[in-house]
Amino acid sequence: MTMVFSSAEQLVAAEGQDLGTTDWVEIRQDRIDRFADATDDHQWIHVDPARAKDGPFGACIAHGYLTLALANLFLPQLIRADNLKMGVNVGCDRVRFPAPVKVGSRIRGRGEILKVERIKDAVQSTVRVTIEIEGSERPGCVVDTISRYTFND
């Protein structure tokens, strides 16, 4: 369930809050192929199922940056700010790829509000999105996302 904030005070008070998890998403080969086309990264471990079958992972794997990009799919399922003048993505800190995401696996986002700080008339939040792989002890990606919100008065 998405946690919704309507004021700076609510968001500041939520520092340290666990945001729970999103729905599962299956990583299919066509998604990997489209990402390869978009980035011109056609390395065989991503796009050649026959060769990847005999490779180090036993199957094609998603690009790390595809897994990272899916944090943008999961983030609005975890947290939403209403009553805004403006909201922007500021960037990311501490991006890691602890485990490969194999084609056919299912992933989901888990969120936690690590830090919230006031910056002039805005509030900046750091939300850790851990992209879990179903059946794996290690996640496919961990990223600390930074967003800045200016709420209406």
Side-chain angles (χ1 to χ4, degrees):
M1 191 163 127
T2 307
M3 188 161 293
V4 180
F5 299 95
S6 299
S7 71
E9 292 75 23
Q10 287 178 343
L11 188 53
V12 168
E15 185 173 281
Q17 182 86 32
D18 180 351
L19 298 172
T21 59
T22 68
D23 293 333
W24 291 102
V25 173
E26 182 180 355
I27 298 301
R28 296 185 319 268
Q29 187 64 50
D30 64 317
R31 182 184 293 244
I32 295 170
D33 292 343
R34 289 192 316 271
F35 189 83
D37 289 342
T39 60
D40 279 338
D41 181 353
H42 294 93
Q43 187 177 171
W44 63 270
I45 61 172
H46 305 303
V47 298
D48 186 342
R51 186 171 176 194
K53 180 180 174 190
D54 297 324
F57 306 108
C60 285
I61 61 168
H63 304 72
Y65 285 113
L66 168 56
T67 308
L68 171 61
L70 291 172
N72 197 51
L73 170 70
F74 296 134
L75 197 57
Q77 295 178 44
L78 296 166
I79 184 171
R80 188 177 82 226
D82 286 346
N83 189 34
L84 288 180
K85 290 181 187 174
M86 182 178 65
V88 294
N89 295 320
V90 175
C92 298
D93 280 338
R94 299 184 42 108
V95 177
R96 299 165 308 286
F97 304 107
V101 177
K102 292 182 183 181
V103 69
S105 62
R106 294 190 338 150
I107 62 173
R108 69 178 178 187
R110 174 177 297 279
E112 176 188 1
I113 301 175
L114 297 181
K115 182 168 122 180
V116 182
E117 59 187 324
R118 291 184 182 272
I119 299 178
K120 297 183 182 179
D121 62 342
V123 179
Q124 184 165 290
S125 67
T126 302
V127 174
R128 175 164 293 159
V129 178
T130 301
I131 299 179
E132 300 177 337
I133 306 167
E134 189 175 41
S136 174
E137 291 183 20
R138 295 181 356 189
C141 180
V142 181
V143 57
D144 295 348
T145 65
I146 305 168
S147 303
R148 192 171 295 172
Y149 305 102
T150 305
F151 288 89
N152 291 310
D153 297 327

